[in-house]
Amino acid sequence: MEETGPLKQTPLFDLHVELGAKMVPFAGYDMPVNYPAGIMAEHQHTRSGAGLFDVSHMGQFRVSGPSVDAVATALEKLCPNDFRSLEPGQQRYGFLTNPKGGILDDLMVTRPAEEQGGAHLRMVVNAACKSTDFAHIQGNLGAGLKLEELADRALLAIQGPQAAAVVARLAPAAAGMKFMTGAWLEIAGIPCYATRSGYTGEDGYEISVPNARAVELARKLLAEPEVKPIGLGARDSLRLEAGLCLYGNDITERTTPVEAGLSWAIAERRRKEGGYPGDAVLKQQWAEGAARKRVGILPQGKAPARAHTEIADDSGHDLGEVTSGGFGPSLGKPIAMGYVSAPSAAIGGTLNLMVRGKALAARIVKMPFVPHRYHRG
């Protein structure tokens, strides 16, 4: 649920303006959609070099308690994911669910290797959902546990095949990190908490840094020859090529993890024991199959199919709709994802996209459209 009122600014706002960014409203913030080079160039640079993204609008939370197990157990009452088995320094993808099994938000949870300030887990949630997420979590945590928003910290993401070399140059310890791990690092002398993760399908890091030093860190990274600033426009096309969901489009409170193809994020223990909102719905969908499925779509021709484009079969019967779509710069052709009825979801199947009243042929393909290049060690 997006907040209304005056647009907020991240600590990097003045730097974005200095760099010539086109600023747009996004999730209640004034954010850079692109810089002078343009979305296409920024996209391609992230695939070949290292792109720096300001994601400080995201919500950073800290949940603390008497033990990490107590915190993880409390979160498992709100999420279907397995947080109790997190090892020190490990990160995991998850989501908050409602009683119907719908996704209230997707998030990242990390167990720091060093418990600075006591036992806790760190969370990153979506910008448009952070106030409702905070209220929901706080209202259901139980006694002895504390939820804090880390509003004094910015979040930067550096992504691309040269991101690791750049960060290791400024923080040698970063080189030893693997995908979905986190660590406290001194990056160019600035104390940060970094995870080796991201939202582009590329290798890279998300770096939590004190607000007061965010611009300093951004300038240090941009001073490296491989790094260029990247806006939200390329962030969207990169994540779409990687087959990654955008909350509010591809997953919503009316979408279950099973329908969205995210069952891989729910461990067997959690599937069996339940104990989270919507567990009965998900168990039924695992047993009987969901009525619809998220699929990758490759439109034939050059016309892109945007979100809410109707999907139909050859007889004109409604099969579902596109939830994300656009041009895939790495492929040089339009791509999309969306939901179709389960019987129509087979890879290789054909369908029609109703674009401006015309039926455009498309076929269902396996995602991701561009292979992931995460560093798994």
Side-chain angles (χ1 to χ4, degrees):
M1 183 175 173
E2 199 161 318
E3 296 179 15
T4 58
L7 291 177
K8 300 175 184 176
Q9 297 177 351
T10 75
L12 299 184
F13 176 83
D14 290 341
L15 179 59
H16 297 315
V17 174
E18 177 187 321
L19 294 172
K22 177 184 178 182
M23 306 299 289
V24 299
F26 183 81
Y29 283 79
D30 209 354
M31 297 293 292
V33 67
N34 63 267
Y35 298 86
I39 293 173
M40 188 78 69
E42 292 171 25
H43 179 110
Q44 300 289 20
H45 181 79
T46 305
R47 290 276 185 247
S48 62
L52 183 66
F53 302 76
D54 178 11
V55 288
S56 304
H57 59 312
M58 305 285 280
Q60 298 183 65
F61 298 166
R62 170 188 162 112
V63 191
S64 54
S67 67
V68 171
D69 188 68
V71 174
T73 299
L75 290 181
E76 285 189 1
K77 293 178 181 178
L78 301 176
C79 306
N81 318 94
D82 175 10
F83 299 133
R84 287 171 55 193
S85 70
L86 279 171
E87 297 290 336
Q90 190 176 17
Q91 183 180 49
R92 192 157 287 160
Y93 175 70
F95 18 79
L96 296 163
T97 51
N98 64 23
K100 294 184 178 180
I103 301 172
L104 295 172
D105 196 11
D106 62 338
L107 44 86
M108 301 291 274
V109 174
T110 310
R111 177 181 178 180
E114 300 175 18
E115 295 180 357
Q116 294 188 10
H120 68 280
L121 295 176
R122 297 175 69 96
M123 304 174 68
V124 176
V125 304
N126 282 298
C129 304
K130 63 183 175 181
S131 60
T132 51
D133 286 355
F134 190 92
H136 177 66
I137 296 168
Q138 188 175 51
N140 290 280
L141 266 187
L145 300 173
K146 182 181 179 182
L147 175 66
E148 304 165 83
E149 181 178 0
L150 304 178
D152 60 340
R153 302 188 73 85
L155 193 64
L156 306 182
I158 182 167
Q159 302 278 289
Q162 297 183 51
V166 170
V167 177
R169 201 177 297 149
L170 302 175
M177 296 174 64
K178 297 179 182 179
F179 179 58
M180 296 295 276
T181 64
W184 289 98
L185 298 175
E186 290 264 337
I187 304 178
I190 301 170
C192 301
Y193 189 80
T195 59
R196 197 155 188 175
S197 60
Y199 191 51
T200 62
E202 297 290 338
D203 184 22
Y205 301 81
E206 292 195 341
I207 305 167
S208 177
V209 57
N211 286 339
R213 304 195 71 178
V215 172
E216 179 186 353
L217 178 61
R219 290 191 187 279
K220 293 274 190 182
L221 292 168
L222 289 169
E224 299 300 314
E226 303 94 334
V227 184
K228 291 183 180 179
I230 312 295
L232 292 177
R235 181 173 166 86
D236 191 53
S237 57
L238 288 159
R239 70 90 193 165
L240 178 55
E241 287 186 345
L244 302 176
C245 294
L246 173 64
Y247 190 80
N249 285 47
D250 312 298
I251 49 177
T252 71
E253 60 185 22
R254 295 176 297 281
T255 309
T256 72
V258 183
E259 294 170 333
L262 299 175
S263 292
W264 58 266
I266 305 175
E268 190 64 27
R269 172 180 71 85
R270 300 293 285 132
R271 295 193 196 193
K272 288 180 178 179
E273 70 185 20
Y276 52 84
D279 55 355
V281 175
L282 299 194
K283 285 179 180 179
Q284 183 177 5
Q285 290 184 343
W286 283 316
E288 303 174 6
R292 59 178 187 149
K293 293 183 178 180
R294 181 172 65 95
V295 296
I297 301 167
L298 200 62
Q300 307 302 297
K302 297 182 179 179
R306 306 292 180 183
H308 306 301
T309 296
E310 180 189 344
I311 302 172
D313 63 16
D314 289 337
S315 300
H317 296 123
D318 179 41
L319 297 178
E321 74 169 15
V322 170
T323 51
S324 288
F327 186 75
S330 303
L331 302 171
K333 61 180 72 173
I335 55 176
M337 69 171 81
Y339 287 83
V340 298
S341 58
S344 305
I347 301 295
T350 59
L351 41 78
N352 291 313
L353 304 174
M354 307 307 294
V355 178
R356 291 187 294 275
K358 294 183 178 179
L360 302 181
R363 60 187 173 90
I364 297 174
V365 297
K366 187 177 180 180
M367 291 187 286
F369 300 97
V370 172
H372 295 162
R373 295 197 282 186
Y374 305 131
H375 178 71
R376 300 184 185 274

